[in-house]
Amino acid sequence: MTEITICSGTLCYIMGGADIFEIETKLSEMYNDKIRIKASTCLGFCEGENKQNPPCVMVGNELIPDATIEKIINHLKRLYTR
Amino acid sequence: MSFINNATLIRRDILSKLIKLQLNGNIGETDRIPLLIRPKNGNASRCCIHKDRAVLKYKIMGLLGFDTSDETDELTPLHKYFMEMLENHRTVNKILSVVDEACSSCDSGNFVVTNMCRGCVGRPCMLNCNKNAIDFYKGQAIIDKEKCVSCGLCQKACPYHAIIYTPVPCEEACPVKAINKNNNGKEHIDESNCIYCGKCTEACPFGAIVERSDVFLVVQGIQKQKKTVALVAPALAGQFKTNFGNIIDAIKILGFDAVIEVAEGAEITTQNEAAEWQHKTANGQPFMTTSCCPSFVNLVDKHITDLKPFVSGTKSPMFYSAQLAKQEFPGAVMVFFSPCLAKKHEAQQGGLIDYVVSFEELGAWMLAKGIETGNSNLPPARNLAGCDSRLYALAGGVTNAVKNYLPNNSGLKPFNINGLGKEEVRSLKALTHKTPDFNFLEVMSCENGCIGGCNTIARPNIARRQIENEMQKHDIKKAV
Ligand code: FES
């Protein structure tokens, strides 16, 4: 089971994160029992040394900055076709 | 609802940057915003960063309510406009303006032959064109724009899909032909035809159509400790990834003295609408339409006057909520939080609401003030509104509420128009000439209803689920 955590801190959420929730409708059925999508409060990447471009999404333990639905799906493909 | 695009994100970025400067008393820094968004050595979206910066400047002016005609001196710095607007409480009636610098003057050639054309022997495009508009030059078809009537036959006939349709996105999206090119080839909005549906603002990929923002005047009022009341549209409940109680809490942290759910006003709309419908149909009127979507009301007023007698005279939830709020908080500044810009226009006409702040502006304001919506499980603030009133946020919501309110449905035969396009406008125009097989017509200008408004943040399907879940979680019962 892989968790997709979409940052819903204010910055990520309004700078594109809100749209990433649509990923559920775009994922192929083969992921149905492999993936759980959840929202989280600010992941802490919007400030400080580790600053990343919003929106931030975690796929499992891996961070995807400047995330798009496409990037996430590509990442999943890599994970599950190994 | 618009697809996410950079133009939208840039607008949100600008809004939050402007509000942040205002909150920190740094309005003088406004002129830096174009430089921050398009820094030296960074990437440009247009020919170069300088053009990008110039466009950003005019977009900021548009947000502040100034357009090119207000620019008497090109060297006037941006912060001067910002200050003038705040000092004079400058509000203009104009809601939308086209930023000429951003408008790409999209070619309205409509049908174009691409270089996929192989100059075939069959030449079905040429033979099937009834207007003789196609010729061949150097082995490729070309369309004579003077003769072409955009029927699209050549496109259908071409076996190579070599002929494409190039739309002008804003003109295509406008259901009422209110946006057209002016003499300079730039788009221009004809206010006398505009119904404020906001579809052009979503459609333009250059973000050239800018909506005036009043959020700065609200921020200023709160800074000056004016008593300010927020009235929030039911659609707000699905806009952030947290429950409604937390969103309302966030608005209080922004400095509002009270937050009132407009769903409370929707209860009155439902009652009045149901009574009006019963009365009118009993008196022989074949059908009645809803009236809470201001864009639809504008459409009838400006383009389908024959339909006017059929539109309900009941006021919108915003109106009734504002009346209630005025009694409860006399003298307070009334701010409506809105999913769309048509409400801005309605508020301007109505006089009860002082300012309209869009959901997007709310998000930008929260960002500027560093407010995170919490994780706790607060129920909606006062919980005075029932489930049916909260569902006003969704297409079909008004119908649902009226139906549930009427005893045994009372013979209500509803029909919904979910989203106004050119097609829907045509069928509405035809409506007065025939007796339809429904007697209650709900019209929502935006697909999905208010959660699909042009100034929303969440995707409609996500927002819908969230609103429905929330009602289950807090066991919000039907009020009637
Ligand atoms: S808002 Fe997403 S990392 Fe802070």
Side-chain angles (χ1 to χ4, degrees), chain A residues 7-13 41-47 54-56, chain B residues 372:
Chain A
C7 178
S8 301
T10 308
L11 177 68
C12 288
Y13 188 73
T41 48
C42 171
L43 292 171
F45 297 108
C46 49
E47 258 169 310
C56 292
Chain B
E372 296 290 331

Side-chain angles (χ1 to χ4, degrees), chain A residues 8-11 13-16 18-19 21-26 39 41-42 46, chain B residues 4 9 12-13 239-241 363-364 366-367 371-372 375 457-459 461-462 465:
Chain A
S8 301
T10 308
L11 177 68
Y13 188 73
I14 74 165
M15 294 308 277
D19 299 86
F21 284 92
E22 192 116 289
I23 192 170
E24 354 176 312
T25 58
K26 307 243 159 86
T41 48
C42 171
C46 49
Chain B
I4 191 75
L9 297 181
R12 293 178 186 171
D13 193 19
Q239 291 302 306
F240 293 89
K241 276 287 147 196
M366 284 166 54
L367 181 57
I371 296 175
E372 296 290 331
N375 223 357
I457 302 173
R459 293 289 177 137
N461 53 343
I462 309 279
R465 195 160 358 114

Side-chain angles (χ1 to χ4, degrees), chain B residues 172-185:
Chain B
E172 196 97 336
C174 177
V176 292
K177 293 203 175 88
I179 187 160
N180 291 296
K181 290 208 172 57
N182 62 16
N183 295 338
N184 302 326

Side-chain angles (χ1 to χ4, degrees), chain B residues 104-112 145 165-169 171 181 185 187:
Chain B
S104 152
S105 304
C106 305
D107 192 8
S108 26
N110 289 338
F111 286 92
V112 179
K145 281 188 193 167
Y165 179 66
T166 57
V168 179
E171 291 179 14
K181 290 208 172 57
E187 295 293 335

Side-chain angles (χ1 to χ4, degrees), chain B residues 268-316:
Chain B
I268 307 176
T269 299
T270 305
Q271 291 162 21
N272 292 356
E273 193 111 307
E276 189 183 350
W277 174 81
Q278 276 184 311
H279 178 77
K280 285 192 166 160
T281 46
N283 284 312
Q285 188 174 304
F287 67 96
M288 185 183 93
T289 82
T290 54
S291 60
C292 42
C293 173
S295 197
F296 167 59
V297 174
N298 291 335
L299 171 73
V300 173
D301 280 349
K302 291 183 175 176
H303 302 276
I304 324 179
T305 38
D306 285 354
L307 202 59
K308 230 172 166 170
F310 299 92
V311 178
S312 151
T314 296
K315 301 283 189 192
S316 70

